[in-house]
Amino acid sequence: MSTPGRGIGSGGTGIRLHAPAPGWSVEADVVVVGSGVAGLTAALRCAAGGRRTVVVTKARLDDGSTRWAQGGIAAALGEGDTPEQHLDDTLVAGAGLCDEEAVRLLVTEGPDAVRRLMATGAVFDTSAATGEIELTREGGHHRRRIAHAGGDATGAEISRALVEAVQAAGIQTVENALVLDLLQDAEGRTAGVTLHVMGEGQHDGVGAVHAPAVILATGGMGQVFSATTNPSVSTGDGVALALRAGAEVSDLEFVQFHPTVLFLGADAEGQQPLVSEAVRGEGAYLVDADGVRFMAGQHELAELAPRDIVAKGIMRRMQEQGAQHMYLDARHFGAEMWEQRFPTILAACRAHGIDPVTEPVPVAPAAHYASGGVRTDLHGRTTVPGLYACGEVACTGVHGANRLASNSLLEGLVFAERIADDIVTQARSGTGPGIPVPATGPLQPAGARYEVQRIMTDGAGVLRSAASLRRAAEALEGLYTTALNDLEAHGKTAEPGVDTWEATNLLCVARVLVAAAERRVETRGCHWREDHPDRDDAAWRRHLVVRLSATEKRALVVTPTDSADFPSVRVPLNSPNPPSLEK
C-alpha cells in the first residue's frame, strides 16, 4: 500500500456549493474561520506578527464549541507531573494510532501555552490555601492535571478572555457568517474563502475574503447525529469545505461518544446537556438502576477509564438490562460541593427536573468529539497549499483512535500557535484571484439534515456492524443520488441557503465517516464493531485517508496507510493509482 500525499490535481475537485456570486469582498493576509480557542489564538498571534487578520465565525464570537467545555484543559502543571507522563496517558487512550511526535509536541509545549493563555487574561481556579492552580482528574489520566475555571465553566472563561483580547487588538471580525468554499488560484493555492453573512451588519449575503492563508478552526460535526453535546452550528462545514478543495481527511470513523450526557428521553434531539467527566474525577460513581457500580472490575481506573471504555461499559449494561440509560451518583458530594464546583451542571440538571444533590443523574452516551478531521502536519498545514486546520476540525495525529479527556482545548491552543508561527515566519505573499469554479455538486433540501441524523444514529452510532453500516451507506447514497439525478437530468437543485448548505455539508461528512467505518473491520478506540469486537493490530494499526475523487464526483477514495505512522502531507502518492475503495 502506498502512503497518501496530496493525491489531487492542483485545481482541487472542482466541486463547489451552489451559491450566488460574491457581492462584496475583504482583503487580508490571513482569514481565520472559527472563533473557539484554536481560531482566536491563531488570530491573535497572526495579528501580533503583523499580518492583516480577519476572523469569520458562524455565530457570535463567543458562540462556538469552546464555551461549552466544562471539564478543563490538560497540561503537566502540577508538582510531580511531567510531560512524559501526560504523553503516556495520551498514547494509551489513542489505542495505538497516535502520532507520537505530535503528542510529544502537545505535552511539552502545552504548559507554556497555558501560561500564555493566562497572560492573555484567562483566570483559572486556584487553591485558597496555596494560590496555586487547582487541578483535577478526568478519564484516562493517572494524575491530577486538569486546570478548570468557574468550577465547570472553563470553556466560557477561555472564550471570554480570548474574545476580549481580539476586540482589544482591533482584529476585524465577520460574525454570523457561514463559510462556503475555498478560493484557489490557477495553481491550486489558497486564495481566500467565500461566505454568506446571515442577517444585517456591515456585510450581508454572499461575499469573499481574499487571503493567501486560510486557517480552518470550524470545530466539530456532532450535528451529524440526532443527539450530541455539540452546538447547532457544528455541522462539519470545515471538513466538507476542505474535501471539496481537494484536501485529505483522516480517522473520521473515530467519533467519541461522551459517556455521561444527561438523558432527556429516547427521542431527544439536538444539543444535549453534558455532565462533565470531572464529576467522576471528583468521585462520582456510575451505577445501574439497582445501584450496582458496573465499571468496577472492568478497568483499573473504573469510572475514570478512557472515554471509549466507559461508553462501551454503559452500553453493555444497558443492553444486558434492556435499559435506556444508566445513572451517575454523586449524592455524597453534598449541596455545597455541587454549588461551588459544578454550578453549571447543577443548574442544567435542575432545569430538567433532576436534583443531583438528592438523586442519581440519568446519563447515556451521545456524540461528542471528532478525533479525526482534515489531515495536517505538525505546523497545521493541509494537503492544499495555504490551507491550515487546527482544533476539532483538524487531524493532527494527537488523538489517535480516541481523544484523552481535556486534550482538545490544549490541542487547539498549541497547534494554533504553531500555525501562526509558520505563517508569520514566511515572507509576505500575495495571491492571485480565486478562479471561479462552476458548482457541480447538488444541494440537499433542508429536511435532509434530519434524515442524515436519523441514518447516522441508527447505523453508525456507538454500536456499529457491517449490516448497520451497509444500511447507512445505502441510505446516504440514496439521498446523494436523488439530488444528483435531479440536478443532471432536470437542472434542479435545492434553493441555496443556510439550511441547504448545512444539510449538504452534513451529508458529505456522513458519507466519509461511514465509508471509513465500513472499511475498518475491527474494534479500536471509539470505533466499536459488534461483528469484529477485537482490536486487530496486524491488519488495522494504520490510518484511513479519504479524499473526494478528482475525476468522479460520486466517489470517495479511501486509502489505508502503510503503518500507524501519520503520513506526511507533503509526500506525493507513490503511484498514480493507489489502492483505494471507491464508494
Side-chain angles (χ1 to χ4, degrees):
M1 286 176 288
S2 55
T3 299
R6 283 204 60 193
I8 219 75
S10 63
T13 65
I15 301 173
R16 295 292 181 272
L17 293 174
H18 287 263
W24 54 270
S25 64
V26 172
E27 302 296 321
D29 296 320
V30 184
V31 56
V32 179
V33 186
S35 60
V37 62
L40 296 188
T41 298
L44 285 165
R45 206 163 175 105
C46 285
R51 297 297 189 262
R52 291 176 303 164
T53 303
V54 174
V55 174
V56 173
T57 188
K58 195 172 178 181
R60 304 292 295 177
L61 274 181
D62 62 352
D63 274 349
S65 293
T66 291
R67 78 180 183 96
W68 295 99
Q70 295 173 346
I73 185 167
L77 298 166
E79 183 178 351
D81 196 7
T82 65
E84 198 69 26
Q85 293 175 70
H86 190 181
L87 180 142
D88 289 343
D89 285 345
T90 301
L91 295 180
V92 169
L97 282 187
C98 294
D99 178 349
E100 186 167 342
E101 185 178 4
V103 177
R104 194 170 295 280
L105 284 173
L106 177 82
V107 299
T108 55
E109 296 181 8
D112 284 342
V114 172
R115 294 182 184 101
R116 284 189 290 272
L117 178 62
M118 294 169 63
T120 302
V123 179
F124 291 96
D125 295 338
T126 56
S127 167
T130 66
E132 298 293 323
I133 293 178
E134 282 188 334
L135 301 172
T136 190
R137 276 183 68 195
E138 291 184 2
H141 293 272
H142 283 79
R143 283 190 173 273
R144 298 180 75 91
R145 65 167 66 96
I146 316 299
H148 50 83
D152 58 0
T154 309
E157 171 58 18
I158 290 173
S159 181
R160 178 205 62 77
L162 291 174
V163 167
E164 289 183 4
V166 164
Q167 292 171 337
I171 295 172
Q172 184 176 356
T173 61
V174 182
E175 296 180 300
N176 301 309
L178 169 62
V179 67
L180 299 176
D181 279 303
L182 191 72
L183 290 169
Q184 293 170 275
D185 64 19
E187 284 72 47
R189 281 197 57 86
T190 294
V193 293
T194 55
L195 62 156
H196 173 76
V197 177
M198 302 166 274
E200 299 178 358
Q202 182 180 358
H203 305 291
D204 190 24
V206 175
V209 180
H210 299 289
V214 171
I215 303 173
L216 294 179
T218 52
M221 56 183 196
Q223 290 291 326
V224 79
F225 294 96
S226 297
T228 177
T229 62
N230 290 192
S232 62
V233 295
S234 297
T235 52
D237 308 318
V239 171
L241 173 150
L243 281 164
R244 290 193 295 269
E248 296 171 350
V249 303
S250 187
D251 299 350
L252 220 61
E253 66 270 34
F254 297 116
V255 175
Q256 187 176 82
F257 286 76
H258 198 288
T260 53
V261 175
L262 186 62
F263 181 75
L264 300 180
D267 297 327
E269 295 181 342
Q271 186 177 9
Q272 310 291 301
L274 177 67
V275 182
S276 170
E277 199 152 308
V279 177
R280 280 175 281 139
E282 295 292 353
Y285 306 131
L286 281 167
V287 298
D288 60 21
D290 296 322
V292 176
R293 283 185 66 189
F294 55 88
M295 284 304 298
Q298 291 198 33
H299 189 277
E300 61 166 334
L301 295 176
E303 283 89 357
L304 284 177
R307 287 179 178 174
D308 63 308
I309 294 171
V310 179
K312 290 171 188 174
I314 292 174
M315 292 298 295
R316 286 195 189 98
R317 197 66 161 192
M318 287 165 56
Q319 287 180 321
E320 290 169 3
Q321 299 188 343
Q324 294 182 325
H325 61 82
M326 290 289 111
Y327 293 92
L328 189 65
D329 191 351
R331 290 174 290 180
H332 53 285
F333 284 6
E336 183 177 357
M337 181 174 176
W338 268 110
E339 291 164 0
Q340 294 183 2
R341 181 66 179 86
F342 301 111
T344 307
I345 299 170
L346 179 63
C349 289
R350 285 177 170 170
H352 290 283
I354 299 157
D355 189 352
V357 176
T358 59
E359 60 185 317
V361 178
V363 293
H368 182 57
Y369 190 89
S371 294
V374 184
R375 196 164 66 84
T376 74
D377 66 8
L378 298 178
H379 297 281
R381 296 176 292 212
T382 74
T383 49
V384 174
L387 178 65
Y388 296 81
C390 57
E392 190 173 354
V393 70
C395 184
T396 62
V398 160
H399 303 309
N402 180 51
R403 174 178 66 95
L404 181 65
S406 287
N407 269 358
S408 50
L409 292 175
L410 190 71
E411 182 200 29
L413 197 61
V414 167
F415 283 87
E417 291 187 344
R418 295 184 68 82
I419 288 172
D421 291 348
D422 188 66
I423 291 172
V424 169
T425 54
Q426 294 178 19
R428 285 180 182 271
S429 62
T431 181
I435 305 301
V437 177
T440 56
L443 288 180
Q444 291 294 313
R449 176 184 186 129
Y450 305 104
E451 275 297 293
V452 170
Q453 291 173 337
R454 179 190 61 77
I455 292 165
M456 293 298 289
T457 298
D458 290 345
V462 179
L463 298 176
R464 302 167 179 174
S465 67
S468 75
L469 291 167
R470 189 180 310 112
R471 288 194 303 271
E474 291 172 353
L476 295 172
E477 191 63 25
L479 292 176
Y480 182 77
T481 299
T482 297
L484 184 62
N485 289 343
D486 283 346
L487 177 64
E488 293 182 338
H490 310 292
K492 295 180 180 179
T493 191
E495 187 70 23
V498 173
D499 290 344
T500 57
W501 290 322
E502 286 186 333
T504 303
N505 287 338
L506 282 171
L507 178 60
C508 176
V509 298
R511 291 178 69 222
V512 173
L513 192 161
V514 170
E518 274 194 291
R519 186 70 176 268
R520 185 175 290 281
V521 287
E522 64 158 356
T523 290
R524 181 185 298 271
C526 48
H527 172 65
W528 187 5
R529 288 281 297 261
E530 290 182 282
D531 51 341
H532 293 277
D534 298 320
R535 173 169 152 177
D536 183 355
D537 280 349
W540 286 109
R541 191 162 179 250
R542 61 190 72 242
H543 302 272
L544 290 172
V545 177
V546 186
R547 56 185 172 86
L548 295 185
S549 171
T551 57
E552 172 52 67
K553 55 181 169 288
R554 291 177 181 266
L556 302 175
V557 182
V558 184
T559 309
T561 60
D562 289 327
S563 69
D565 294 337
F566 208 57
S568 166
V569 301
R570 293 303 176 208
V571 177
L573 287 166
N574 295 336
S575 68
N577 297 299
S580 63
L581 176 67
E582 297 284 346
K583 296 296 293 181

